[in-house]
Amino acid sequence: MLSGRSASFLLLTFNPLSEHVRIVRELLDVTVTTGQEAMFEVELSHPGVTNGEWWLGDNLLQNNDLNQMSVQGRVHRLVLKMVTTDESGDVAFVVGKEKSVACLLVEEKPKVIILEKPHDTASVEGETVTLSCCISDSNASVTWMRNNVPIQAGLKYDLRKNGALRQLRIHNLVPEDSGIYICDTGDAHCEVTLTVQGAPVFFPKELKNQDAIEGDDVTLQCEVSKPGVRVEWRKGGIVLQPGKKYEMKQERCIQELCIHSLEPEDSGYYTCDAGEQLTTASLAVQVKEVFIVAGLKTTDVFVGEWATFSCQLSGRAPGKVQWWLDGTLLENSPSIQIGVQQGFIHTLTFKNLATDDSGTVTFKAGSLTSSAKLLVK
């Protein structure tokens, strides 16, 4: 750094007063630490002197960023920036035949060591924890790091200083805050392990028993104690999977199970399982009353033709569907076709009819019945 401060020659302005100028206040010795600045002042008997020289050892100094020279009235000042130990020595100010010399002593910066290391700490999710270390220099600063990234003060982290004690406070703990934290003084560092245990999950609002009607949709809802909890929905002992029938929703702490197009078989006990805790409620699906919307109509056809009878219900058939011709139970065959359309329209089709196929056609489903005549001409 000496070469950066020195100059081979400094052009001086002639001052006729120089031979009469005297130094009335001498330089004083200065002791500083590596990296600091050293300031020297000398006072002359006359203002306006421009031919003064500053020397560091055998090096004539030039005015630059490292050597900041200034004059204020009769006071001449030199500020040496970012001094190093090898710059220790004499500093001199020379004007004409006058000279003042002082000693610059640059000492090594004392190392900041850690006197008391923080202890490994275990805490619970949601709480605040304080990590502390004690250092040898109460004026020194430390850097707290996690994953080699310096920690900045904010809502999550609070950096505190109390004498030689340095503290890191971590608020609103989550399990992801677990890990190794480092306190670094620049000269020394230490590690501390933080373990954050997840808070136990519970249900502030449990499932409630519900009654619903066949064909409707229903939503079972509960609330867990913290967001992001993975739950399992079950009916009895069967784990439910998302699809057209079941839809699972989660919004922060609210858990929902939506059951679509209810059927009587959907009645039962439903459970939301959060691992450590669970909640169960019953769902009762009431069978929707079904009635005949459009019954059978009498049909006349000619021999060899086809005839179709239909009976439309308001909902799903309340029992097994049967078709009768007089006292004979009909089943699917090459000449008879039984089916259902759109879920609720039941049909019976006769093919290639003969005159002896004439009779009374009857539709039965549970307690529902409808009859009409078939006449084959």
Side-chain angles (χ1 to χ4, degrees), residues 232-314:
E232 182 179 81
W233 288 94
R234 297 194 300 269
K235 180 177 184 279
I238 299 175
V239 177
L240 303 179
Q241 302 297 332
K244 292 183 178 181
K245 184 69 177 178
Y246 302 109
E247 182 181 1
M248 291 80 169
K249 296 181 180 179
Q250 178 179 354
E251 185 173 351
R252 292 191 59 80
C253 296
I254 303 299
Q255 302 282 350
E256 290 184 343
L257 171 66
C258 300
I259 309 173
H260 300 286
S261 302
L262 287 172
E263 301 172 297
E265 304 88 77
D266 292 324
S267 296
Y269 288 93
Y270 290 82
T271 299
C272 181
D273 190 340
E276 300 172 353
Q277 297 289 330
L278 52 83
T279 176
T280 300
S282 66
L283 171 63
V285 180
Q286 300 176 5
V287 177
K288 193 173 184 179
E289 182 180 358
V290 179
F291 54 89
I292 296 175
V293 177
L296 304 183
K297 295 181 179 179
T298 297
T299 302
D300 295 347
V301 295
F302 292 99
V303 172
E305 292 184 341
W306 293 17
T308 298
F309 292 84
S310 66
C311 184
Q312 181 178 352
L313 304 182
S314 61

Coordinates of all heavy atoms in Angstrom, one line a residue, residues 232-314:
E232 N -57.2 -38.1 5.2 CA -57.7 -39.2 4.4 C -59.2 -39.3 4.7 O -59.6 -39.3 5.9 CB -57.0 -40.5 4.8 CG -57.4 -41.7 4.1 CD -56.6 -43.0 4.5 OE1 -57.0 -43.6 5.5 OE2 -55.7 -43.3 3.8
W233 N -60.0 -39.4 3.7 CA -61.5 -39.6 3.9 C -61.8 -41.1 3.7 O -61.3 -41.7 2.8 CB -62.2 -38.8 2.8 CG -62.2 -37.3 3.1 CD1 -61.3 -36.4 2.6 CD2 -63.0 -36.5 4.0 NE1 -61.6 -35.1 3.0 CE2 -62.6 -35.2 3.9 CE3 -64.1 -36.9 4.8 CZ2 -63.3 -34.2 4.6 CZ3 -64.8 -35.9 5.5 CH2 -64.3 -34.5 5.4
R234 N -62.7 -41.6 4.6 CA -63.1 -43.0 4.5 C -64.6 -43.1 4.7 O -65.2 -42.2 5.4 CB -62.4 -43.8 5.6 CG -60.9 -43.9 5.4 CD -60.3 -45.0 6.3 NE -60.6 -44.8 7.7 CZ -59.8 -44.2 8.6 NH1 -58.7 -43.6 8.1 NH2 -60.1 -44.0 9.8
K235 N -65.2 -44.1 4.1 CA -66.6 -44.5 4.4 C -66.5 -45.8 5.0 O -66.1 -46.8 4.4 CB -67.4 -44.5 3.2 CG -68.9 -44.9 3.4 CD -69.7 -44.8 2.1 CE -71.2 -45.2 2.4 NZ -71.5 -46.6 2.5
G236 N -66.8 -45.9 6.3 CA -66.6 -47.1 7.0 C -65.1 -47.4 7.0 O -64.3 -46.5 7.5
G237 N -64.6 -48.5 6.5 CA -63.2 -48.8 6.5 C -62.6 -48.6 5.1 O -61.5 -49.0 4.8
I238 N -63.4 -48.1 4.1 CA -62.9 -47.9 2.8 C -62.4 -46.5 2.5 O -63.1 -45.5 2.8 CB -64.1 -48.3 1.8 CG1 -64.6 -49.7 2.0 CG2 -63.6 -48.1 0.3 CD1 -65.8 -50.1 1.2
V239 N -61.2 -46.4 2.0 CA -60.6 -45.1 1.6 C -61.2 -44.6 0.4 O -61.3 -45.3 -0.6 CB -59.1 -45.3 1.5 CG1 -58.5 -43.9 1.1 CG2 -58.4 -45.8 2.8
L240 N -61.7 -43.4 0.4 CA -62.4 -42.8 -0.8 C -61.4 -42.1 -1.7 O -60.4 -41.5 -1.2 CB -63.4 -41.8 -0.3 CG -64.5 -42.3 0.7 CD1 -65.4 -41.1 1.1 CD2 -65.3 -43.4 0.1
Q241 N -61.6 -42.3 -3.0 CA -60.7 -41.7 -4.0 C -61.5 -40.6 -4.7 O -62.7 -40.7 -5.0 CB -60.2 -42.7 -5.0 CG -59.5 -43.9 -4.3 CD -58.2 -43.4 -3.6 OE1 -57.6 -42.4 -4.0 NE2 -57.8 -44.2 -2.6
P242 N -60.8 -39.5 -5.1 CA -61.5 -38.4 -5.9 C -62.0 -38.9 -7.3 O -61.3 -39.7 -7.9 CB -60.5 -37.3 -6.0 CG -59.1 -38.0 -5.8 CD -59.4 -39.2 -4.9
G243 N -63.1 -38.5 -7.7 CA -63.7 -38.9 -9.0 C -65.0 -38.2 -9.2 O -65.3 -37.1 -8.6
K244 N -65.8 -38.8 -10.0 CA -67.2 -38.2 -10.3 C -68.0 -38.2 -9.0 O -68.9 -37.3 -8.8 CB -67.8 -38.9 -11.4 CG -67.2 -38.7 -12.8 CD -68.0 -39.4 -13.9 CE -67.3 -39.1 -15.3 NZ -68.1 -39.8 -16.3
K245 N -67.8 -39.3 -8.2 CA -68.7 -39.5 -7.1 C -68.2 -38.6 -5.9 O -69.0 -37.9 -5.2 CB -68.7 -40.9 -6.7 CG -69.6 -41.3 -5.5 CD -71.1 -41.1 -5.9 CE -72.0 -41.5 -4.8 NZ -73.4 -41.3 -5.1
Y246 N -66.9 -38.6 -5.7 CA -66.3 -37.9 -4.5 C -65.4 -36.8 -5.0 O -64.6 -37.0 -5.9 CB -65.6 -38.9 -3.6 CG -66.4 -40.0 -3.1 CD1 -66.2 -41.3 -3.6 CD2 -67.4 -39.8 -2.2 CE1 -67.0 -42.4 -3.1 CE2 -68.2 -40.9 -1.7 CZ -68.0 -42.2 -2.2 OH -68.8 -43.2 -1.8
E247 N -65.5 -35.6 -4.3 CA -64.7 -34.5 -4.6 C -64.1 -34.0 -3.2 O -64.9 -33.6 -2.4 CB -65.4 -33.4 -5.3 CG -64.6 -32.2 -5.7 CD -65.4 -31.1 -6.4 OE1 -66.6 -31.3 -6.6 OE2 -64.8 -30.1 -6.7
M248 N -62.8 -34.0 -3.1 CA -62.1 -33.5 -1.9 C -61.6 -32.1 -2.1 O -61.0 -31.8 -3.1 CB -61.0 -34.4 -1.5 CG -61.4 -35.8 -1.0 SD -61.8 -36.9 -2.3 CE -61.9 -38.5 -1.4
K249 N -61.9 -31.2 -1.1 CA -61.4 -29.8 -1.2 C -60.7 -29.4 0.1 O -61.1 -29.9 1.1 CB -62.6 -28.8 -1.5 CG -63.3 -29.0 -2.8 CD -64.4 -28.0 -2.9 CE -65.2 -28.2 -4.3 NZ -66.3 -27.2 -4.4
Q250 N -59.7 -28.6 -0.1 CA -59.0 -28.0 1.1 C -58.7 -26.6 0.9 O -58.1 -26.2 -0.1 CB -57.7 -28.8 1.3 CG -56.9 -28.3 2.5 CD -55.6 -29.1 2.7 OE1 -55.4 -30.1 2.0 NE2 -54.8 -28.7 3.6
E251 N -59.1 -25.7 1.8 CA -58.8 -24.3 1.8 C -58.3 -23.9 3.1 O -59.1 -23.8 4.1 CB -60.0 -23.5 1.3 CG -59.7 -22.0 1.2 CD -60.9 -21.2 0.6 OE1 -61.9 -21.9 0.1 OE2 -60.8 -20.0 0.5
R252 N -57.0 -23.7 3.2 CA -56.3 -23.4 4.5 C -56.7 -24.5 5.5 O -56.3 -25.7 5.3 CB -56.6 -22.0 5.0 CG -56.0 -20.9 4.1 CD -56.1 -19.6 4.7 NE -55.4 -19.5 6.0 CZ -54.1 -19.4 6.2 NH1 -53.3 -19.3 5.1 NH2 -53.6 -19.3 7.4
C253 N -57.5 -24.2 6.5 CA -57.8 -25.2 7.6 C -59.1 -25.9 7.3 O -59.4 -26.8 8.1 CB -57.8 -24.5 8.9 SG -56.2 -23.7 9.4
I254 N -59.8 -25.6 6.3 CA -61.1 -26.2 6.1 C -60.9 -27.4 5.1 O -60.3 -27.3 4.1 CB -62.1 -25.2 5.4 CG1 -62.3 -24.0 6.3 CG2 -63.5 -25.9 5.2 CD1 -62.8 -24.3 7.7
Q255 N -61.5 -28.5 5.6 CA -61.5 -29.8 4.8 C -62.9 -30.1 4.4 O -63.8 -30.1 5.3 CB -60.9 -30.9 5.6 CG -59.4 -30.7 6.1 CD -58.4 -30.9 5.0 OE1 -58.7 -31.3 3.9 NE2 -57.2 -30.5 5.3
E256 N -63.1 -30.5 3.1 CA -64.5 -30.8 2.6 C -64.5 -32.0 1.8 O -63.6 -32.3 1.0 CB -65.0 -29.6 1.8 CG -65.4 -28.4 2.6 CD -66.0 -27.3 1.7 OE1 -65.9 -27.4 0.5 OE2 -66.6 -26.3 2.3
L257 N -65.6 -32.8 2.0 CA -65.8 -34.0 1.1 C -67.2 -33.7 0.5 O -68.2 -33.6 1.2 CB -65.8 -35.3 1.9 CG -66.4 -36.5 1.2 CD1 -65.4 -36.8 0.0 CD2 -66.5 -37.7 2.1
C258 N -67.2 -33.6 -0.9 CA -68.5 -33.4 -1.6 C -68.9 -34.8 -2.2 O -68.1 -35.4 -2.9 CB -68.3 -32.4 -2.7 SG -67.9 -30.7 -2.1
I259 N -70.1 -35.2 -1.9 CA -70.6 -36.4 -2.5 C -71.7 -36.1 -3.5 O -72.7 -35.4 -3.1 CB -71.2 -37.4 -1.4 CG1 -70.1 -37.5 -0.3 CG2 -71.6 -38.7 -1.9 CD1 -70.6 -38.3 0.9
H260 N -71.6 -36.5 -4.7 CA -72.5 -36.1 -5.8 C -73.5 -37.2 -6.0 O -73.3 -38.4 -5.8 CB -71.8 -35.8 -7.0 CG -70.8 -34.7 -6.9 ND1 -71.2 -33.4 -6.8 CD2 -69.4 -34.7 -6.8 CE1 -70.1 -32.6 -6.7 NE2 -69.0 -33.4 -6.7
S261 N -74.7 -36.8 -6.5 CA -75.8 -37.7 -6.9 C -76.0 -38.8 -5.9 O -75.8 -40.0 -6.2 CB -75.4 -38.3 -8.3 OG -75.2 -37.3 -9.3
L262 N -76.5 -38.4 -4.8 CA -76.7 -39.4 -3.6 C -77.6 -40.5 -4.0 O -78.6 -40.4 -4.7 CB -77.2 -38.6 -2.4 CG -76.2 -37.7 -1.7 CD1 -76.9 -36.9 -0.6 CD2 -75.1 -38.5 -1.1
E263 N -77.2 -41.7 -3.5 CA -78.0 -42.9 -3.6 C -78.2 -43.5 -2.2 O -77.4 -43.1 -1.3 CB -77.2 -44.0 -4.4 CG -76.9 -43.5 -5.8 CD -76.1 -44.4 -6.6 OE1 -74.9 -44.6 -6.2 OE2 -76.5 -45.0 -7.6
P264 N -79.2 -44.3 -2.0 CA -79.4 -44.9 -0.6 C -78.2 -45.6 -0.1 O -77.9 -45.6 1.1 CB -80.6 -45.9 -0.8 CG -81.3 -45.3 -2.0 CD -80.3 -44.7 -2.9
E265 N -77.3 -46.2 -1.0 CA -76.1 -46.9 -0.5 C -75.1 -45.9 0.0 O -74.1 -46.4 0.6 CB -75.5 -47.7 -1.7 CG -76.5 -48.7 -2.3 CD -77.3 -48.0 -3.5 OE1 -76.7 -47.8 -4.6 OE2 -78.5 -47.7 -3.2
D266 N -75.2 -44.6 -0.2 CA -74.3 -43.7 0.3 C -74.5 -43.4 1.8 O -73.7 -42.7 2.4 CB -74.4 -42.3 -0.5 CG -73.9 -42.5 -1.9 OD1 -72.9 -43.3 -2.1 OD2 -74.5 -41.8 -2.8
S267 N -75.6 -43.9 2.3 CA -75.8 -43.8 3.8 C -74.7 -44.5 4.5 O -74.2 -45.5 4.1 CB -77.1 -44.3 4.2 OG -78.2 -43.6 3.6
G268 N -74.3 -43.9 5.7 CA -73.2 -44.6 6.5 C -72.4 -43.6 7.3 O -72.8 -42.4 7.4
Y269 N -71.3 -44.1 7.8 CA -70.4 -43.2 8.6 C -69.2 -42.8 7.8 O -68.5 -43.7 7.2 CB -70.0 -44.0 9.9 CG -71.1 -44.1 10.9 CD1 -71.9 -45.3 10.9 CD2 -71.3 -43.1 11.8 CE1 -72.9 -45.4 11.8 CE2 -72.4 -43.2 12.7 CZ -73.2 -44.4 12.7 OH -74.2 -44.5 13.6
Y270 N -68.9 -41.5 7.8 CA -67.8 -41.0 7.1 C -66.7 -40.4 8.1 O -67.1 -39.8 9.1 CB -68.2 -39.9 6.1 CG -69.0 -40.4 4.9 CD1 -70.4 -40.7 5.1 CD2 -68.4 -40.7 3.7 CE1 -71.1 -41.2 4.0 CE2 -69.1 -41.2 2.6 CZ -70.5 -41.4 2.8 OH -71.2 -42.0 1.7
T271 N -65.5 -40.6 7.8 CA -64.4 -40.2 8.7 C -63.4 -39.4 7.9 O -63.0 -39.7 6.8 CB -63.7 -41.5 9.2 OG1 -64.6 -42.2 10.0 CG2 -62.5 -41.1 10.1
C272 N -62.9 -38.3 8.6 CA -61.8 -37.5 8.1 C -60.6 -37.8 9.1 O -60.7 -37.5 10.3 CB -62.1 -36.0 8.2 SG -60.8 -34.9 7.6
D273 N -59.6 -38.4 8.6 CA -58.4 -38.9 9.4 C -57.2 -38.0 9.1 O -56.7 -37.9 8.0 CB -58.1 -40.3 9.0 CG -57.1 -40.9 10.0 OD1 -56.4 -40.2 10.7 OD2 -57.1 -42.2 10.0
A274 N -56.8 -37.3 10.2 CA -55.6 -36.4 10.0 C -54.3 -37.0 10.6 O -53.3 -36.4 10.8 CB -55.9 -35.1 10.8
G275 N -54.4 -38.3 10.8 CA -53.2 -39.1 11.3 C -53.2 -39.2 12.8 O -53.4 -40.3 13.3
E276 N -53.1 -38.1 13.5 CA -53.1 -38.1 15.0 C -54.5 -38.1 15.5 O -54.8 -38.6 16.6 CB -52.2 -37.0 15.5 CG -50.8 -37.0 15.1 CD -50.0 -35.8 15.5 OE1 -50.7 -34.8 16.0 OE2 -48.8 -35.7 15.3
Q277 N -55.4 -37.4 14.8 CA -56.8 -37.3 15.2 C -57.7 -37.6 14.1 O -57.3 -37.5 12.9 CB -57.0 -35.8 15.7 CG -56.2 -35.4 17.0 CD -56.6 -36.1 18.2 OE1 -57.8 -36.5 18.4 NE2 -55.7 -36.4 19.1
L278 N -58.9 -37.9 14.4 CA -59.9 -38.1 13.3 C -61.3 -37.7 13.9 O -61.5 -37.6 15.1 CB -60.0 -39.6 12.9 CG -60.1 -40.7 13.9 CD1 -61.6 -40.9 14.3 CD2 -59.5 -42.0 13.4
T279 N -62.2 -37.4 12.9 CA -63.6 -37.1 13.3 C -64.5 -37.9 12.3 O -64.2 -38.1 11.2 CB -63.8 -35.6 13.1 OG1 -65.2 -35.3 13.4 CG2 -63.4 -35.1 11.7
T280 N -65.7 -38.3 12.9 CA -66.6 -39.2 12.2 C -68.0 -38.6 12.4 O -68.4 -38.1 13.4 CB -66.5 -40.6 12.7 OG1 -65.2 -41.1 12.5 CG2 -67.5 -41.5 12.0
A281 N -68.8 -38.7 11.3 CA -70.2 -38.3 11.3 C -71.0 -39.3 10.4 O -70.4 -39.9 9.6 CB -70.4 -36.9 10.9
S282 N -72.3 -39.3 10.6 CA -73.2 -40.2 9.8 C -73.9 -39.4 8.7 O -74.2 -38.2 8.9 CB -74.2 -40.9 10.7 OG -75.1 -39.9 11.3
L283 N -74.2 -40.0 7.6 CA -75.0 -39.5 6.6 C -76.1 -40.4 6.3 O -75.9 -41.6 6.1 CB -74.1 -39.3 5.3 CG -74.9 -38.9 4.0 CD1 -75.5 -37.6 4.2 CD2 -74.0 -39.0 2.8
A284 N -77.3 -39.9 6.4 CA -78.5 -40.7 6.1 C -79.2 -40.1 4.8 O -79.6 -39.0 4.8 CB -79.5 -40.5 7.3
V285 N -79.3 -41.0 3.8 CA -79.8 -40.6 2.5 C -81.3 -41.2 2.5 O -81.5 -42.4 2.5 CB -79.0 -41.2 1.4 CG1 -79.6 -40.8 0.0 CG2 -77.6 -40.7 1.5
Q286 N -82.2 -40.2 2.4 CA -83.6 -40.6 2.3 C -84.0 -40.9 0.9 O -83.6 -40.2 0.0 CB -84.5 -39.5 2.9 CG -84.2 -39.1 4.3 CD -85.1 -37.9 4.8 OE1 -85.9 -37.4 4.0 NE2 -84.8 -37.5 6.0
V287 N -84.7 -42.1 0.7 CA -85.1 -42.5 -0.6 C -86.2 -41.5 -1.1 O -87.1 -41.2 -0.4 CB -85.7 -43.9 -0.6 CG1 -86.2 -44.3 -2.0 CG2 -84.7 -44.9 -0.1
K288 N -85.9 -41.0 -2.3 CA -86.9 -40.0 -2.9 C -88.1 -40.7 -3.4 O -88.0 -41.8 -4.0 CB -86.1 -39.3 -4.0 CG -86.8 -38.0 -4.6 CD -86.0 -37.4 -5.6 CE -86.6 -36.0 -6.0 NZ -85.7 -35.3 -7.0
E289 N -89.3 -40.2 -3.1 CA -90.5 -40.8 -3.5 C -90.6 -40.8 -5.0 O -90.5 -39.7 -5.6 CB -91.7 -40.1 -2.9 CG -93.0 -40.7 -3.2 CD -94.2 -40.0 -2.6 OE1 -94.0 -39.0 -1.9 OE2 -95.4 -40.4 -2.9
V290 N -90.9 -42.0 -5.6 CA -90.9 -42.1 -7.0 C -92.4 -42.4 -7.4 O -93.1 -43.1 -6.8 CB -90.0 -43.2 -7.5 CG1 -90.1 -43.4 -9.0 CG2 -88.6 -42.9 -7.1
F291 N -92.8 -41.7 -8.5 CA -94.2 -41.9 -9.0 C -94.1 -42.1 -10.5 O -93.1 -41.8 -11.2 CB -95.1 -40.8 -8.6 CG -94.6 -39.4 -9.0 CD1 -94.9 -38.9 -10.3 CD2 -93.8 -38.7 -8.2 CE1 -94.4 -37.6 -10.7 CE2 -93.3 -37.4 -8.6 CZ -93.6 -36.9 -9.8
I292 N -95.2 -42.5 -11.1 CA -95.3 -42.7 -12.5 C -95.7 -41.4 -13.2 O -96.7 -40.8 -12.9 CB -96.4 -43.8 -12.9 CG1 -95.9 -45.2 -12.3 CG2 -96.6 -43.9 -14.4 CD1 -96.9 -46.3 -12.5
V293 N -94.8 -40.9 -14.0 CA -95.0 -39.7 -14.8 C -96.0 -39.9 -16.0 O -96.9 -39.2 -16.2 CB -93.7 -39.1 -15.2 CG1 -93.9 -37.8 -16.1 CG2 -92.8 -38.8 -14.0
A294 N -95.7 -41.0 -16.7 CA -96.5 -41.4 -17.9 C -96.6 -42.9 -18.0 O -95.6 -43.6 -18.0 CB -95.9 -40.8 -19.2
G295 N -97.9 -43.4 -17.8 CA -98.1 -44.8 -17.8 C -98.2 -45.4 -19.2 O -98.0 -44.8 -20.2
L296 N -98.5 -46.7 -19.2 CA -98.7 -47.5 -20.4 C -99.9 -47.0 -21.2 O -100.9 -46.6 -20.6 CB -98.8 -49.0 -20.2 CG -97.6 -49.6 -19.4 CD1 -97.8 -51.1 -19.3 CD2 -96.3 -49.3 -20.0
K297 N -99.9 -47.1 -22.5 CA -101.0 -46.8 -23.3 C -101.5 -48.0 -24.2 O -100.6 -48.7 -24.7 CB -100.7 -45.6 -24.2 CG -100.4 -44.3 -23.4 CD -100.1 -43.1 -24.4 CE -99.8 -41.9 -23.6 NZ -99.5 -40.7 -24.5
T298 N -102.8 -48.1 -24.3 CA -103.3 -49.2 -25.2 C -102.8 -49.1 -26.6 O -102.8 -48.0 -27.1 CB -104.8 -49.3 -25.1 OG1 -105.3 -49.5 -23.8 CG2 -105.4 -50.3 -26.1
T299 N -102.4 -50.2 -27.2 CA -101.8 -50.2 -28.5 C -102.5 -51.3 -29.4 O -102.7 -52.4 -29.0 CB -100.3 -50.5 -28.4 OG1 -99.7 -49.5 -27.5 CG2 -99.6 -50.5 -29.8
D300 N -102.9 -50.8 -30.6 CA -103.4 -51.7 -31.6 C -102.4 -51.8 -32.8 O -101.9 -50.8 -33.3 CB -104.7 -51.2 -32.2 CG -105.8 -51.2 -31.1 OD1 -105.6 -51.8 -30.1 OD2 -106.8 -50.5 -31.3
V301 N -102.1 -53.1 -33.2 CA -101.2 -53.3 -34.3 C -101.7 -54.4 -35.2 O -102.6 -55.2 -34.8 CB -99.8 -53.6 -33.8 CG1 -99.1 -52.5 -33.1 CG2 -99.8 -54.9 -33.0
F302 N -101.1 -54.6 -36.4 CA -101.5 -55.7 -37.2 C -100.5 -56.8 -37.1 O -99.4 -56.7 -36.6 CB -101.5 -55.3 -38.7 CG -102.6 -54.3 -39.0 CD1 -102.4 -52.9 -39.0 CD2 -103.9 -54.8 -39.2 CE1 -103.5 -52.1 -39.3 CE2 -105.0 -53.9 -39.5 CZ -104.8 -52.6 -39.5
V303 N -100.9 -58.0 -37.5 CA -100.1 -59.2 -37.4 C -98.8 -58.9 -38.1 O -98.7 -58.4 -39.2 CB -100.8 -60.5 -38.0 CG1 -99.8 -61.6 -38.1 CG2 -102.0 -60.8 -37.2
G304 N -97.6 -59.4 -37.5 CA -96.3 -59.2 -38.1 C -95.7 -57.9 -37.7 O -94.5 -57.7 -38.0
E305 N -96.4 -56.9 -37.1 CA -95.8 -55.6 -36.8 C -95.2 -55.7 -35.4 O -95.3 -56.7 -34.7 CB -96.8 -54.5 -36.8 CG -97.3 -54.2 -38.2 CD -98.3 -53.1 -38.3 OE1 -98.9 -52.7 -37.2 OE2 -98.5 -52.5 -39.4
W306 N -94.5 -54.6 -35.0 CA -93.9 -54.5 -33.7 C -94.8 -53.5 -32.8 O -95.5 -52.6 -33.4 CB -92.5 -53.9 -33.7 CG -91.5 -54.8 -34.4 CD1 -91.7 -55.9 -35.2 CD2 -90.1 -54.7 -34.3 NE1 -90.6 -56.5 -35.6 CE2 -89.5 -55.7 -35.0 CE3 -89.2 -53.8 -33.6 CZ2 -88.2 -56.0 -35.2 CZ3 -87.9 -54.0 -33.8 CH2 -87.3 -55.1 -34.5
A307 N -94.7 -53.7 -31.5 CA -95.4 -52.8 -30.6 C -94.5 -52.5 -29.4 O -93.9 -53.3 -28.9 CB -96.7 -53.4 -30.1
T308 N -94.5 -51.2 -29.0 CA -93.6 -50.7 -27.9 C -94.5 -50.0 -26.9 O -95.3 -49.2 -27.2 CB -92.6 -49.7 -28.4 OG1 -91.7 -50.4 -29.4 CG2 -91.7 -49.2 -27.3
F309 N -94.3 -50.5 -25.6 CA -94.9 -49.9 -24.5 C -93.8 -49.2 -23.6 O -92.7 -49.7 -23.5 CB -95.6 -50.9 -23.6 CG -96.8 -51.6 -24.3 CD1 -96.6 -52.6 -25.2 CD2 -98.1 -51.1 -24.0 CE1 -97.7 -53.2 -25.8 CE2 -99.2 -51.7 -24.7 CZ -99.0 -52.7 -25.6
S310 N -94.2 -48.0 -23.1 CA -93.2 -47.3 -22.2 C -93.9 -46.8 -21.0 O -95.1 -46.4 -21.0 CB -92.5 -46.2 -23.0 OG -93.5 -45.2 -23.3
C311 N -93.1 -46.8 -19.9 CA -93.6 -46.2 -18.6 C -92.5 -45.3 -18.1 O -91.4 -45.8 -17.8 CB -94.0 -47.3 -17.7 SG -94.7 -46.7 -16.1
Q312 N -92.8 -44.0 -17.9 CA -91.8 -43.1 -17.4 C -92.0 -42.8 -15.9 O -93.1 -42.5 -15.5 CB -91.9 -41.7 -18.2 CG -90.9 -40.7 -17.7 CD -91.0 -39.4 -18.5 OE1 -91.7 -39.4 -19.5 NE2 -90.2 -38.4 -18.1
L313 N -90.9 -43.0 -15.1 CA -90.9 -42.7 -13.7 C -90.3 -41.4 -13.3 O -89.6 -40.8 -14.1 CB -90.2 -43.9 -12.9 CG -90.7 -45.3 -13.2 CD1 -89.9 -46.3 -12.4 CD2 -92.2 -45.4 -12.9
S314 N -90.6 -40.9 -12.2 CA -90.0 -39.6 -11.7 C -88.6 -39.8 -11.2 O -87.8 -38.8 -11.0 CB -90.8 -39.0 -10.6 OG -90.9 -39.8 -9.5

